[in-house]
Amino acid sequence: MTDKRHNDDHLKVIHPASDSAGTDDILDAINQLDVSPEVLKQIHALLNEQKKRETEANQRLKTILNSVVEGILVIDGAGMICDCNESALNLLRGTMTDMLGLSVDALFVDRKSTVRHKLLNRCINISSGTLRYDYTETMGQRLDGDTFPMEITVSPANFTGEMSYLYIFRDITRRKQAEESQQKLEGELREALKLEAIGHLAGGIAHEINTPSQYIRDNLKFLNDGYGALSRILGLALQTLWQNRDRLPENTFNNFARKMRDADLEFLLDEIPHATQQSLDGINQVARIVLSMKEFSHPGGAEKTATDINRVLSNVTVISRNEWKHYAQLVENYEPELPHIPCHINEINQVFLNLIVNAAQAIDAAGRSPEEGEIKIKTTFLDDSVLISISDNGTGIAKENRSKIFNPFFTTKEVGKGTGQGLAITHDIVQIKHGGRIWFETEMGKGTTFHVLLPAEDRTGKPDTVKKAPDKKKKTA
């Protein structure tokens, strides 16, 4: 640790104070001069004026340095803190007594890496007789043990004929948080672009699958229809053989009957129609899934387009089937002849996909069997709007969570199963982007119904080109 005189010399840099002993010596020397009282008075006046100017200059310097948001430390050649400004005290959460004589190494978390020496080496190497500096980012440590990311600048300084250094640092926690948020947003954007690319790819794959599916379906239908004709002719042939068996060569009919039994013809005649029909049902389901994928992944435009909500819901239920088929039966009750309403199709797809998946997860959480679980989807035309209701008989929403259900990042699901973004995004899409409403009714242990009300005309003032549906009695689920 440096001596008191050395520290006092540095303290004049940021916290200058009048050297009363030195002033008294000067006054004593002046008083011993052989000059007239008038000259002596003038000398005293000049000294007082000079002292006043120095005090004002020192006060201005002190005010300026203390108003700087960066912390400033004066470090001697041994690495001890000789002085600092108010910002340094605030950033490091210490007092002047705590700071003076403290090793600057204590301010760095990673002390073994000798951050200070690395900074000083770079600083000295580039100094070359002129005032240069170097900076780095590292983890700082406050006097209370708290850590924070800091940006620190080191520059050489010469105050008393001995090499000293100025450490100028700032807390960059907010900047780091902003950078992390930016990186997160960029990551989400990359994921969104990736999903968009997958959507385009899915659309292309759906188109490619659709072509072979079409001729497989046509061939199966041909085989199914052809089998009917062949079975009728075969039946007629068998009947003819039976009626004329006495006129046939000996054992001809018996041999033919034995061949029929060996070939299990009766079984084939019974099962071939079932097999072809099952294949037709399967390929029709594939075709439906492919068409739903194609429509679901079709890129939407910047403008809203007139949309058949019943068809959107039908596509979403097909796409999400693997999410709900293990937990519930799904009942669809769509009002026919609904007006087409203006929507961003991709975003509306996302709304209904979120609600159906959430319904399935709520039923799973309630521990119901697939036979007990039930998801109901209903559409209703109301005046100038379409009401979509998606119900489940899951757990319901706890009373303390109901006011937070649409808050971003709020989730009641366990880690890894929910981000808390689904319903927040759904709320934003429905109410902000489409001028609609979304709300829910819930009862603990019995389930939840989410209602989505979408206007039949654009709330920006562009009316829908499709006329309203005629008034008629509403259907009930």
Side-chain angles (χ1 to χ4, degrees):
M1 184 172 173
T2 58
D3 58 23
K4 185 65 168 65
R5 179 188 60 78
H6 185 62
N7 280 340
D8 287 345
D9 289 337
H10 281 293
L11 289 175
K12 295 177 184 178
V13 178
I14 297 179
H15 296 279
S18 58
D19 191 342
S20 57
T23 303
D24 292 341
D25 292 340
I26 294 173
L27 290 175
D28 289 341
I30 291 173
N31 290 331
Q32 293 175 9
L33 293 176
D34 186 13
V35 294
S36 64
E38 186 70 22
V39 173
L40 190 60
K41 183 178 180 182
Q42 291 178 359
I43 293 174
H44 278 283
L46 290 172
L47 284 175
N48 289 334
E49 182 65 25
Q50 180 65 25
K51 183 178 179 181
K52 181 180 178 183
R53 285 197 297 269
E54 289 180 357
T55 301
E56 292 175 351
N58 288 335
Q59 188 60 43
R60 281 197 302 272
L61 178 60
K62 179 180 179 180
T63 301
I64 291 170
L65 292 173
N66 285 333
S67 65
V68 173
V69 295
E70 287 83 1
I72 301 176
L73 302 175
V74 178
I75 311 298
D76 64 17
M80 301 299 178
I81 300 175
C82 303
D83 202 0
C84 62
N85 66 347
E86 290 294 333
S87 293
L89 297 179
N90 294 332
L91 289 171
L92 298 175
R93 298 175 187 168
T95 65
M96 186 62 71
T97 304
D98 298 328
M99 298 295 295
L100 296 181
L102 180 68
S103 171
V104 72
D105 290 340
L107 307 182
F108 299 110
V109 172
D110 191 6
R111 300 175 194 175
K112 292 183 180 179
S113 67
T114 60
V115 175
R116 178 174 67 90
H117 291 139
K118 291 181 179 179
L119 286 171
L120 292 181
N121 288 337
R122 290 205 298 269
C123 175
I124 294 170
N125 290 339
I126 66 175
S127 60
S128 304
T130 59
L131 187 62
R132 300 286 299 278
Y133 61 90
D134 198 5
Y135 73 95
T136 191
E137 291 182 7
T138 185
M139 288 299 296
Q141 181 167 287
R142 310 184 204 276
L143 296 188
D144 60 5
D146 190 18
T147 60
F148 65 101
M150 69 156 64
E151 180 184 89
I152 184 166
T153 301
V154 178
S155 62
N158 193 334
F159 297 120
T160 60
E162 296 182 5
M163 180 59 73
S164 300
Y165 302 92
L166 285 181
Y167 280 52
I168 303 174
F169 65 97
R170 67 175 66 187
D171 186 341
I172 55 173
T173 300
R174 290 185 179 179
R175 192 178 82 189
K176 287 296 184 183
Q177 290 172 345
E179 289 174 356
E180 290 175 1
S181 298
Q182 180 68 21
Q183 291 172 357
K184 182 179 179 182
L185 287 174
E186 289 175 356
E188 291 175 352
L189 178 59
R190 286 193 295 271
E191 288 299 316
L193 293 175
K194 185 193 300 181
L195 290 176
E196 182 181 1
I198 292 173
H200 286 291
L201 182 62
I205 293 173
H207 177 73
E208 293 298 322
I209 294 176
N210 195 50
T211 301
S213 296
Q214 181 66 41
Y215 64 71
I216 292 172
R217 182 169 61 250
D218 292 343
N219 289 341
L220 285 170
K221 190 174 186 305
F222 167 75
L223 291 173
N224 200 40
D225 295 341
Y227 170 80
L230 290 173
S231 64
R232 286 191 296 271
I233 292 175
L234 180 59
L236 181 60
L238 289 174
Q239 183 180 5
T240 302
L241 285 172
W242 175 257
Q243 292 173 348
N244 296 282
R245 65 184 181 279
D246 295 336
R247 290 194 291 270
L248 293 173
E250 187 179 359
N251 294 327
T252 298
F253 184 80
N254 291 334
N255 290 336
F256 184 77
R258 187 171 61 254
K259 294 290 185 182
M260 285 177 53
R261 287 194 299 272
D262 292 343
D264 207 356
L265 185 60
E266 185 179 356
F267 173 79
L268 293 177
L269 291 174
D270 288 338
E271 292 301 321
I272 286 176
H274 296 303
T276 54
Q277 187 57 51
Q278 285 178 349
S279 299
L280 274 171
D281 292 342
I283 199 64
N284 285 333
Q285 177 67 5
V286 170
R288 186 183 177 199
I289 292 171
V290 167
L291 181 61
S292 297
M293 280 180 58
K294 191 174 181 180
E295 294 185 1
F296 189 88
S297 62
H298 190 276
E303 299 294 328
K304 295 178 181 176
T305 56
T307 304
D308 181 353
I309 290 298
N310 285 346
R311 187 171 183 82
V312 168
L313 286 165
S314 179
N315 287 337
V316 172
T317 58
V318 172
I319 293 297
S320 62
R321 187 170 183 271
N322 195 57
E323 298 292 332
W324 54 261
K325 70 177 182 179
H326 302 293
Y327 309 111
Q329 306 296 316
L330 191 140
V331 180
E332 298 170 274
N333 183 10
Y334 301 147
E335 182 165 341
E337 299 179 6
L338 282 179
H340 290 201
I341 62 176
C343 293
H344 296 293
I345 297 177
N346 281 352
E347 295 183 349
I348 288 300
N349 280 334
Q350 185 177 2
V351 166
F352 297 139
L353 183 62
N354 286 343
L355 294 179
I356 291 173
V357 171
N358 282 351
Q361 291 174 343
I363 292 171
D364 179 35
R368 303 191 192 281
S369 68
E371 293 74 24
E372 296 172 331
E374 187 176 63
I375 299 173
K376 295 180 180 179
I377 305 176
K378 180 182 178 182
T379 60
T380 309
F381 185 71
L382 298 176
D383 297 328
D384 62 345
S385 301
V386 171
L387 177 66
I388 303 96
S389 301
I390 299 177
S391 306
D392 66 71
N393 59 347
T395 57
I397 302 172
K399 188 174 182 180
E400 63 270 18
N401 295 331
R402 294 172 188 175
S403 62
K404 301 176 285 187
I405 204 71
F406 294 116
N407 291 351
F409 304 110
F410 174 78
T411 180
T412 57
K413 300 171 188 174
E414 58 187 76
V415 175
K417 288 194 174 181
T419 63
Q421 288 291 81
L423 286 177
I425 292 172
T426 296
H427 182 274
D428 179 77
I429 291 173
V430 172
Q431 300 205 173
I432 297 177
K433 296 186 177 181
H434 289 84
R437 289 182 55 214
I438 181 170
W439 70 98
F440 62 88
E441 299 174 83
T442 187
E443 186 175 349
M444 287 300 295
K446 292 190 175 181
T448 302
T449 299
F450 276 89
H451 300 286
V452 176
L453 190 68
L454 295 173
E457 63 176 15
D458 197 332
R459 293 307 190 199
T460 59
K462 300 177 183 177
D464 187 16
T465 56
V466 181
K467 294 182 180 180
K468 289 166 48 177
D471 292 335
K472 50 188 171 62
K473 187 177 180 181
K474 304 294 184 290
K475 298 172 70 175
T476 58

